[in-house]
Amino acid sequence: MSPSVRRFARREWGPLLATLRREAAARRWRAVPLTLTAVCLTAFLHFAQNQERGYGPVRAIGAVRAEDPLWLALLRTPLSLFVPALDLPVWGALAQVLLVFGVAELCLGRWRTLGIAYLATLCGTLYARVGIALGPGTPFGLPASDAQVVDTGPSAAVVGLAVYVCWRQRAYWTGAAVVVAMVVEVVVKPNLAGKEHLAAIVGVLALMAFRAWRERGQGVPDPRPGTRSWKPPIRS
């Protein structure tokens, strides 16, 4: 590996790896209770919805469609985050949750991770309604048939968390790569899921812009490498 590549890797992922090592060494498995709960809940809901008696109840409490009344969709949205899609391998969803939620929980903390995950999921859910209202004749529109597509799974939350963590840990090129990958996904396969991923990114970018504006206004310094992103450096 050339020196320039090593310098890039150290600059891009050094702060992130330092935070992960410190938090994991300090609390071990106790550092990621949200992640472990999310993985277990996703696995349980996948098992339940594949049973004859479990399919109906899981759909009733965790299946979100754009054709549903808004109040019902909002009520189901929190659990829909953990209901994996039936037509995709569940191991992919579990691996995404374990990796991205785990990294986010170590870097951001439990409640910030959960809040950003739900923000990203909610942006995707609300976009589906807007896209259908716009119609297929516009760049951001969707066909009316997508109103019946079940919007489930953690993918929007995973994408949103990945972008936010990269920003807070200064892994800007990695965050940009995630965004570009989602754009390419929509170009290659312009379906509801891909466009919801972009809506999740837009929501998280808006949050990032607000946080940056607020921190500049309050004079909060940028986090030093190896520190949690919202905690100021300790001064003796």
Side-chain angles (χ1 to χ4, degrees), residues 1-22:
M1 185 182 296
S2 66
S4 60
V5 174
R6 286 197 296 268
R7 285 194 299 270
F8 171 80
R10 191 179 303 113
R11 183 175 61 253
E12 180 74 5
W13 300 302
L16 174 61
L17 294 177
T19 301
L20 295 179
R21 283 196 298 265
R22 187 190 68 253

Side-chain angles (χ1 to χ4, degrees), residues 119 160 163-168 172 201-215:
L119 169 66
V163 172
Y164 191 87
V165 169
C166 288
W167 173 64
R168 296 306 294 183
Y172 300 126
I201 291 174
V202 170
V204 171
L205 290 177
L207 175 63
M208 289 160 49
F210 172 76
R211 289 287 305 245
W213 169 79
R214 185 179 179 184
E215 290 173 1

Side-chain angles (χ1 to χ4, degrees), residues 20 29 36 39 41 61 101 116 136 163 176 194 199 210 223:
L20 295 179
W29 62 269
L36 298 176
V39 170
L41 183 58
I61 62 177
F101 271 67
I116 294 167
V163 172
F210 172 76

Side-chain angles (χ1 to χ4, degrees), residues 115-132:
I116 294 167
Y118 278 131
L119 169 66
T121 301
L122 185 61
C123 287
T125 297
L126 295 179
Y127 158 75
R129 295 172 179 270
V130 175
I132 290 169

